[in-house]
């Protein structure tokens, strides 16, 4: 479990590279910071209140205040692992879920309002949904299956991303100019590290190194392989060329789709889920890019669609013999209905919550960068840095001197 | 024959290319450059170090044109590259003695006429 | 074991970066995809048939069909770990072995034929050899020692690479122009992640967190350290400069050389193996670069020579007290002969098999990219993408419109 | 423990990227090699003698010679893990500590003398200090707390860096030109992998997967989160912009500060330590950049100041209930005094030892690169390579021909 | 004195350098550029987005030569840089008023004569 | 009007910019370039391959100036860009027929006069 938590933590920087490689070089630091800052802002919010809202005893809708400020969270076991570690593990999920949303609004949202938004989102949208499914809330009682977060994490983030993209509006050049990834190797690095980290995400969700963990682990290996193959074939069929960005996307979609099912389905079903999941996401991306919906890095198509589809397929393929409840193929169509209910409930709540929060943040501050800032790129105006510098023509400013210092530096040197 | 050298903002490049396209200017070469002029300098900080970027990203276009095209080309760039704020760039018109098309060895006017 | 499997999986992307950094920037995506695609193509082939051919009961030469489509591979233990996990762990080995070969033919082999080739190679070359050594085949019965794949993985891939390089012929500019690595930091990233992943490769081959794993682990730490030191010294002696590409190569050679010996030799012998292994590979690279053999990324010198040398040294240094059979230094020269037999058998079979397969694939499709494609680089013609783009001058094409659309986009905008 | 050791090993390449991203592109290979070479040089020195000097039975000041050349270090348990593994785990600490110093002298120290220096430093400075604290030496007897190396690793390296920076003098352009990071994404990659690896560093220091490890682990998660938040707030307050380099630095400072305390303090104290530790390091960096002290990558401010502050805070927050001795807040101010003693002793010894060693190395060889070499960058003169090449204009030289060969190549080709 | 500006294919650069070397043209400066002409455009796809690359990588050479070298230099580039397919590039010959060698302050012809 | 094209060492760029600043030359454009001249070539090795780098990094400055500024500008660059070792670079002075400021449409001398 220690290792699993470390692996999930690594997913957030991995996401930073996946997203960072996909944007233009003038926005890469901003994009990466949107993921990394979640490690700070959401992480601390989780410790202060999020964990308690999700996992302290409460009602069917939300947890209580018993664990605010980690009150009563110590080294005593919770299930088979120390309570503290359980809290940390769950915290890494909250962090990455919030960070996922950033893919919808990169290259145009100001950094301060973004930080405020994801911190609030983690507390008011993520924590309740986590409570519903894993904290003993109403979806858990209903019997919806979500092994490692297909609905809680991916549907939730995907729908949040959709709402955020709509509210912020498209980038000024969207649909007019080609907005190309500045470093595809970074995209491949990110998706590879995501896969590596995802073993902690799914494998660790068994909360122990047992047979369930082994199953979840192997399924996390097999499903993305199948998605990768199908995605490459779709690419080849459509344009005759298997793209690298497509391969990276396919891996992520396969990981997303197997997440809710990982510990509940036999391995060949994992292959099937992975292969099938390529289709809706692939076509969602094709369709999205022809609309005015600038969900810039396709969070909805990869995580929302992939997660929802995976959650439904869980209801199809789940088998009691492999650790789940029986699903459609084992003769229990009711499970599919429960899965659909979970997806719908999460999607609705996430949409409403994200909408309300963004409106609130929009009242406090301007969320969107100006056209000029967008033109120059977010890195310099928002972070005061460039990602790649040659240093030539940069004039050193002595911070403890008067404003006239740069002339003085120029002339006053030995 | 003239060589028109234009320094424009990178965010305006697509507009300039489009304007030139409409003027039927077909051949050109661009280079990434950095300029220093009267523009506002941007301030950056790295750890304790504060830095003024005195050089701003620009794009340089080199366009070889025959005499009748000079004015149209210059006007097209001026129209499409303008934002009205300091830093829009400059256009230089240089005399050219000879132009060759490497592929065919054609010279001067023929060398810059597209053969579609 | 879960962790070890995840680590070995990570080695394939690590290889993608090691190889990707060494090529020119116009071929980096193609090179990286050659490794990453193995995760899909070989992975699925392994699940479908490869595992069965290697590990299902059969004769001394090849396994049977009992485990086709993972039939009968479940969570019951095989040895000390779940059977399914054993299958997955072995699958990651097949994936990386096939990917290794790509280093010999980068910058010129077309992607489709490459995919077909490595998929078939994994089934018809890798799976039988794995059966010989680890599946209870004739080499196992002979008593050849191969802890984690010195022959199965490295000699096998190295010889396959040699044959592939010869059959495809050198790149058009090979020996005429300098073909330089476009990003040495990526090479260093790749070799570092390879080292990290190799702990799973060697440490995991003990199939449990026991003393043998600890020994294999520590040896995997010590041997590359020694190789790195010797390599830097050789560099310094030859040119006065310790190169970074050399350091990365040295690390990989050390890892390769210790692979067959990891769990069988005492730690100071691991240091000796690491140190000695630098020599043949170092000089093989020097020699190769002066020939017409364009094994572009020196798979033969690093993996073939390093693996063979390591396998022989295993026969020298192995000691019963540390978990092996006694080797030459412990007074059993016979073990050295057995090791030599294993190396020769693997090399011969790999050479023959690779040759036959490439001829077969060559009958079906043109394997080699045209001269013009080679000039432009493989990324754009084969994958429809560039690795690093600035986006300027890229004209957006609306995919759902008529061919005249780009003019229309240029003019029809608000 | 296997995993923890692998994670700590990964920290050295992570450091290579953290440092490599911060320098100019003409020095990146040199900077990365300074970290990676430590894996070879210090690693082998550790095996040969360092481990024995630190952990073989000796007196209060230094270990003995009983374990030279790993004599008597086998698979028998030492504490709860095999002795060999304990040796390897401690070796990875020595390697990274020596590599940390390089941050103070990058872009100007010649590579050969650097290698000699860190090898000697590991033997004569690191090994004794490790003995004092962890090998049963006098600081251990005094009762100073250092869970995973706040003093041994960070104060030690930070002070060594200070001395090295002073003795080598500033870079020729320091304070005259802006010396900017050439790739901030690499810096973020490095700091992310450092965090990931640090779980092995702190979590593994409990030497087992027990409750103490879980506590250390969670604290290693929480403290940097708090530092990151505070660092971003300090940045926002000072310039209105949260920098990415700052975020990366903040994460490292938080990791450093929690290192001595990880297994001794409750989680909310870890948050407090992380938050507080941002302040001295932040202002130390601001101050340093205005002086003539060219500690180029702020090793002193991040590791020296952060480590010392963390060691003192350990004396404040440590609690018997969580595995430590009671500290100031639990009513034992004496512990704070012991911590201060440990910091002072380490700092003094490190300063003296580093000074003596550098003077010694300086007698043997010129340590500093010439002005011209500094201008061209260290990569080409010291390593014979460029980090990023396009290959154009590079003329191939046939190494086995006479000096006139390049003309011959130009003319003699088909 | 003339400044010869040549735009050539990057894959031909080594050949061009070799040809110039044989003509004893010793000094030159190259810049990476991107050109737009009559060349076939290459199509790329990123997720749903399809893109035509209207700009093709080129290399620009700037060579200052004295009068007697102009013709030889131009011919050398034309010979070595030619593939015969659209996109081989152009050569411009610009008049130069003055040339200086920074190291010595030498002017004009001396400034471009190598001093080996 | 003249266009001054100077090729200088990158490590001297800051000095050159400073010298130009003191001479009140305000507008200029720089481009990264690589030069080939009489400089010592540097040798590099990658695995078994040894390579001579025949091209050395340089920076190119393009400065449009009115006649009275030509001499001052040239002298400033020569002074500040000189190290005395082979490889310091060259300065070319090209005639210019016309200059425009894109922002305002101003021409010639007005186009290069800063409007602070
Ligand atoms: N004299 C000049 N020579 C060459 N380039 C110039 C010159 N003056 C300006 N430029 C280029 O034009 C850009 C904008 O010029 P500037 O004078 O700041 O703006 P504006 O033309 O709008 O007054 C500069 O960044 C520089 O690249
Ligand atoms: N009028 C021009 N001015 C500047 N550069 C040009 C011009 N025409 C072409 N070029 C450059 O030459 C390259 C090839 O030109 P193109 O006309 O496509 O081929 P060709 O010369 O073989 O007919 C272009 O990519 C561009 O860089
Ligand atoms: N004839 C030329 N045309 C264009 N650039 C040149 C020419 N000669 C030299 N250069 C540029 O000037 C740089 C230095 O020139 P070089 O002749 O080596 O040194 P120096 O001027 O000190 O004798 C070269 O790297 C190249 O960029």
């Amino acid at each position: 479990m220690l290792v699993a938590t470390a692996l999930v933590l690594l997913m957030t920087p991995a996401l930073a590279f996946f997203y960072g490689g996909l944007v233009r070089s003038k926005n890469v630091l901003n994009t990466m910071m949107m993921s990394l800052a979640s490690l700070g802002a959401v992480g601390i919010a989780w410790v202060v209140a999020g964990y308690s809202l999700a996992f302290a005893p409460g009602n069917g809708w939300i947890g209580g205040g018993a664990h605010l400020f980690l009150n009563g969270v110590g080294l005593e076991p919770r299930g088979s692992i120390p309570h503290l570690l359980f809290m940390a593990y769950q915290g890494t999920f909250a962090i990455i879920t919030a960070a996922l949303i950033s893919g919808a609004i990169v290259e145009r949202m100001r950094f301060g309002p973004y930080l405020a938004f994801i911190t609030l989102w983690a507390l008011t949208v993520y924590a309740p949904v986590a409570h519903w499914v894993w904290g003993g809330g109403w979806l858990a009682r209903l019997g919806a299956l979500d092994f490692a977060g297909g609905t809680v994490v991916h549907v939730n983030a995907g729908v949040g991303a959709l709402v955020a993209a709509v509210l912020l509006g498209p980038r000024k050049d969207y649909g007019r100019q080609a907005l190309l990834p500045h470093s595809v190797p970074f995209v491949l690095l990110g998706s590879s590290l995501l896969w590596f980290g995802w073993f902690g995400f799914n494998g660790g969700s068994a909360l122990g190194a047992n047979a369930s963990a082994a199953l979840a682990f192997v399924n996390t290996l097999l499903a993305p392989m199948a998605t990768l193959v199908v995605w490459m074939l779709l690419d080849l069929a459509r344009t005759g060329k298997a793209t690298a960005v497509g391969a990276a996307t396919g891996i992520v979609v396969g990981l997303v789709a197997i997440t809710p099912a990982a510990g509940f389905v036999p391995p060949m079903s994992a292959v099937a889920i992975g292969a099938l999941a390529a289709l809706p996401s692939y076509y969602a991306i094709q369709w999205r890019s022809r609309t005015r919906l600038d969900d810039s890095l396709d969070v909805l198509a990869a995580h929302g669609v992939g997660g929802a589809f995976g959650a439904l397929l869980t209801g199809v393929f789940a088998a009691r013999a492999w650790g789940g409840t029986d699903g459609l193929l084992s003769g229990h169509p009711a499970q599919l209905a429960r899965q659909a209910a979970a997806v719908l409930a999460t999607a609705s709540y996430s949409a409403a919550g994200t909408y309300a929060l963004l409106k609130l943040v929009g009242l406090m501050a301007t969320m969107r960068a100006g056209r000029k800032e967008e033109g120059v790129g977010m890195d310099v105006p928002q972070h005061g840095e460039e990602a790649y510098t040659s240093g030539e023509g940069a004039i050193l400013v002595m911070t403890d001197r008067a404003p006239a210092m740069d002339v003085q530096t120029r002339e006053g040197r030995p | 024959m003239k060589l028109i050298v234009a320094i424009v903002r990178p965010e305006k490049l697509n507009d300039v290319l489009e304007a030139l396209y409409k003027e039927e200017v077909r051949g050109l070469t661009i280079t990434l450059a950095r300029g220093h002029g009267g523009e506002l300098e941007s301030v950056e900080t790295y750890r304790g170090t504060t830095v003024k970027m005195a050089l701003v990203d620009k794009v340089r276009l080199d366009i070889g044109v025959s005499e009748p095209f000079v004015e149209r080309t210059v006007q097209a760039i001026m129209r499409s590259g303008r934002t009205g704020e300091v830093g829009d760039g400059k256009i230089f018109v240089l005399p050219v003695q000879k132009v060759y098309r490497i592929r065919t060895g054609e010279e001067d006017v023929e060398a810059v006429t597209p053969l579609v």
Side-chain angles (χ1 to χ4, degrees), chain A, chain B:
Chain A
M1 275 314 293
L2 294 173
V3 177
T5 309
L7 287 171
V8 184
L9 182 91
L10 186 64
M11 289 173 68
T12 301
L15 186 71
F17 275 83
F18 185 68
Y19 281 176
L22 285 169
V23 299
R24 290 167 290 172
S25 62
K26 61 187 176 181
N27 294 307
V28 54
L29 294 184
N30 180 251
T31 302
M32 295 184 74
M33 283 293 280
M34 282 188 165
S35 292
L36 293 176
S38 175
L39 284 169
V42 174
I44 294 298
W46 185 255
V47 165
V48 169
Y51 177 68
S52 192
L53 292 177
F55 289 97
N59 55 31
W61 298 93
I62 191 146
H67 293 322
L68 290 175
F69 289 97
L70 299 190
N71 198 358
V73 181
L75 291 171
E76 73 288 355
R78 171 170 175 138
S80 55
I81 59 170
H83 193 172
L84 197 58
L85 187 57
F86 178 79
M87 182 284 302
Y89 184 65
Q90 292 296 339
T92 55
F93 277 63
I95 290 167
I96 183 122
T97 309
L100 280 172
I101 301 177
S102 68
I105 46 80
V106 291
E107 306 202 307
R108 60 196 184 283
M109 188 165 182
R110 292 176 60 230
F111 191 65
Y114 167 78
L115 274 189
F117 164 63
I118 57 160
T119 308
L120 292 173
W121 193 89
L123 294 177
T124 61
V125 179
Y126 180 81
V129 175
H131 181 76
W132 298 354
V133 178
W134 295 326
W138 70 275
L139 278 173
R141 283 182 220 143
L142 184 71
L145 292 173
D146 190 357
F147 189 71
T151 48
V152 181
V153 173
H154 298 289
V155 172
N156 202 352
V159 172
L162 168 65
V163 173
V166 169
L167 283 187
L168 257 93
R171 286 165 289 178
K172 75 180 176 61
D173 295 330
Y174 178 73
R176 287 185 45 200
Q177 284 180 19
L179 308 171
L180 303 184
H182 89 287
S183 172
V184 180
F186 279 177
V187 178
L188 296 175
L189 177 65
S191 66
S192 302
L193 290 179
L194 278 172
W195 198 344
F196 181 61
W198 222 290
F199 289 119
F201 198 84
N202 288 357
S205 289
L207 299 180
N210 45 34
S212 169
L215 178 63
F217 183 96
V218 174
N219 285 345
T220 307
L221 184 69
L222 299 182
M225 285 176 179
T227 321
L228 175 57
V229 169
V230 174
W231 204 283
M232 287 198 293
L233 293 177
L234 290 172
D235 255 1
L236 284 167
R238 194 171 65 90
T239 65
K241 292 168 185 174
T243 62
V245 171
T249 311
I251 288 172
V252 172
V253 167
L255 289 165
V256 168
I258 199 61
T259 296
F264 302 139
V265 301
M268 286 312 288
S269 298
V271 173
I273 290 177
L276 291 173
L279 298 161
S281 290
Y282 189 89
Y283 291 105
I285 288 179
Q286 297 301 324
W287 164 83
R288 206 271 310 147
S289 68
R290 268 170 280 148
T291 66
R292 289 296 298 159
L293 171 60
D294 185 12
D295 175 5
S296 317
L297 310 179
D298 284 307
V299 186
L300 177 67
H303 296 273
V305 173
F309 198 68
L312 296 179
L313 289 181
T314 305
V316 174
F317 287 105
R320 180 180 300 274
W322 292 86
T325 324
D326 277 337
L328 182 65
L329 286 191
S330 314
H332 286 71
Q335 188 59 36
L336 185 55
R338 284 188 209 126
Q339 298 299 111
V343 169
L344 277 181
T346 306
S348 318
Y349 182 69
S350 175
T354 308
Y355 185 86
L357 275 182
L358 279 172
K359 284 289 173 197
L360 181 73
V361 172
L363 285 181
M364 312 284 205
T366 318
M367 289 196 295
R368 184 136 184 181
R371 282 179 72 83
K372 202 170 153 186
E373 239 180 331
E374 246 192 80
V376 172
M378 308 292 283
D379 288 0
V380 172
Q382 293 288 317
H383 302 282
E385 290 165 306
E386 284 173 287
Y388 312 98
T389 40
S390 70
E392 279 144 21
I395 299 166
L396 195 66
V397 177
M398 293 306 181
T399 34
D400 53 346
R401 308 269 179 74
M405 68 233 137
D406 78 309
V407 177
Q408 195 252 6
T409 328
R410 280 164 166 281
E411 295 178 353
R413 53 197 231 208
Chain B
M1 301 299 301
K2 291 285 175 296
L3 185 68
I4 299 180
V5 177
I7 320 286
V8 302
R9 295 178 186 275
E11 55 263 47
K12 277 292 189 182
L13 176 65
N14 273 25
D15 290 339
V16 172
L17 291 178
E18 190 184 320
L20 291 172
Y21 186 87
K22 284 195 209 147
E23 293 296 337
E24 291 172 13
V25 175
R26 282 297 180 275
L28 53 84
T29 301
I30 74 162
T31 326
L32 298 182
R34 291 196 287 158
H36 178 82
E39 299 110 319
L40 221 87
E41 295 166 341
S42 70
V43 170
E44 306 188 0
T45 46
Y46 297 85
R47 288 189 167 173
T49 311
T50 304
V51 153
K52 271 197 194 179
M53 298 310 277
L55 298 174
V56 183
D57 284 345
K58 300 281 161 187
V59 171
R60 169 197 174 119
L61 296 104
D62 286 89
I63 315 172
V65 291
S66 54
E67 306 298 340
F69 272 81
V70 174
E71 195 54 30
R72 295 166 57 173
T73 306
V74 166
Q75 292 307 329
I77 296 173
M78 287 231 266
R79 237 182 304 117
S80 58
R82 187 175 292 168
T83 68
E85 284 175 63
V86 176
D88 280 351
K90 302 275 187 288
I91 302 174
F92 300 96
V93 181
L94 309 185
V96 171
Q97 192 185 296
K98 208 124 187 69
V99 184
Y100 302 87
R101 185 193 297 272
I102 294 178
R103 171 159 54 95
T104 56
E106 283 164 301
E107 300 186 9
D108 296 338
V109 177
E110 287 87 59
V112 296
T113 314
L115 305 117
V116 194

